[in-house]
């Protein structure tokens, strides 16, 4: 039988004072390309490059790890808009193939580009609100930075 001894946690007033982070507010602010904490600073310095930190509140954006999730979400969102629309048009109307490609492909491309930055901002806001990937005030010891 293995026994482990753990020191009891001592709860003080300071341990209970944790910054409140509302998930929906942070995601809405990120969707608008704003800082998830204050909602005023810019989240991006380029189209998909996040800024190093917020110019207003100083929140460090470098720990975010959005990776490919925004692209997958954009594919799902645009696919759920485009596919039913194409099926409805193609079953109810007879359109030439060249007209179909001339309409569907540019719409899909523009919709994907238009949603990519807002969705990435919402993912970064979600990560901040849930204290993921280094957005925690007290990250665990022994985990090397990525």
């Amino acid at each position: 039988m293995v026994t482990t001894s753990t020191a009891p946690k001592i709860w003080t007033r300071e341990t209970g004072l944790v910054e409140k982070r509302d998930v929906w507010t942070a995601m809405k602010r990120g969707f608008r390309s704003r800082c998830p904490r204050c909602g005023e600073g810019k989240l991006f310095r380029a189209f998909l490059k996040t800024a190093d930190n917020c110019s207003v509140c100083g929140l460090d954006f470098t720990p975010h790890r959005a990776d490919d999730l925004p692209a997958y979400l954009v594919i799902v969102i645009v696919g759920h808009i485009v596919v039913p629309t194409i099926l409805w048009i193609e079953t109810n109307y007879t359109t030439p193939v060249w007209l179909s490609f001339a309409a569907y492909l540019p719409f899909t491309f523009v919709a994907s580009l238009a949603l990519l930055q807002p969705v990435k901002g919402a993912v970064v806001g979600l990560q901040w609100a849930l204290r993921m990937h280094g957005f925690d005030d007290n990250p665990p010891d022994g985990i090397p930075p990525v």
Side-chain angles (χ1 to χ4, degrees):
M1 182 168 160
V2 177
T3 60
T4 58
S5 61
T6 58
K9 290 187 179 181
I10 300 172
W11 295 99
T12 62
R13 183 179 300 228
E14 287 76 29
T15 58
L17 294 177
V18 179
E19 179 183 16
K20 303 281 188 216
R21 297 181 181 182
D22 183 43
V23 175
W24 295 111
T25 303
M27 288 179 67
K28 282 189 264 184
R29 289 174 177 170
F31 191 82
R32 292 189 329 249
S33 299
R34 296 293 174 200
C35 171
R37 181 193 284 162
C38 67
E40 295 182 19
K42 288 186 177 182
L43 182 60
F44 296 101
R45 62 181 160 91
F47 181 63
L48 290 176
K49 298 284 185 186
T50 56
D52 292 332
N53 54 22
C54 177
S55 59
V56 177
C57 69
L59 176 65
D60 184 21
F61 298 134
T62 55
H64 90 84
R65 296 289 173 257
D67 297 332
D68 292 334
L69 180 62
Y72 293 135
L73 293 176
V74 166
I75 289 169
V76 169
I77 293 167
V78 172
H80 277 81
I81 294 170
V82 170
V83 171
T85 305
I86 291 173
L87 289 174
W88 180 76
I89 291 172
E90 292 299 322
T91 55
N92 292 324
Y93 303 102
T94 305
T95 58
V97 174
W98 67 269
L99 183 62
S100 298
F101 282 125
Y104 303 147
L105 293 178
F107 175 77
T108 304
F109 180 72
V110 170
S112 298
L113 283 181
L115 280 176
L116 197 54
Q117 186 180 29
V119 169
K120 182 173 182 174
V123 169
V124 172
L126 176 72
Q127 290 178 351
W128 175 81
L130 297 179
R131 302 177 194 286
M132 297 169 65
H133 305 294
F135 281 121
D136 190 8
D137 296 332
N138 302 316
D141 295 332
I143 297 176
V146 179

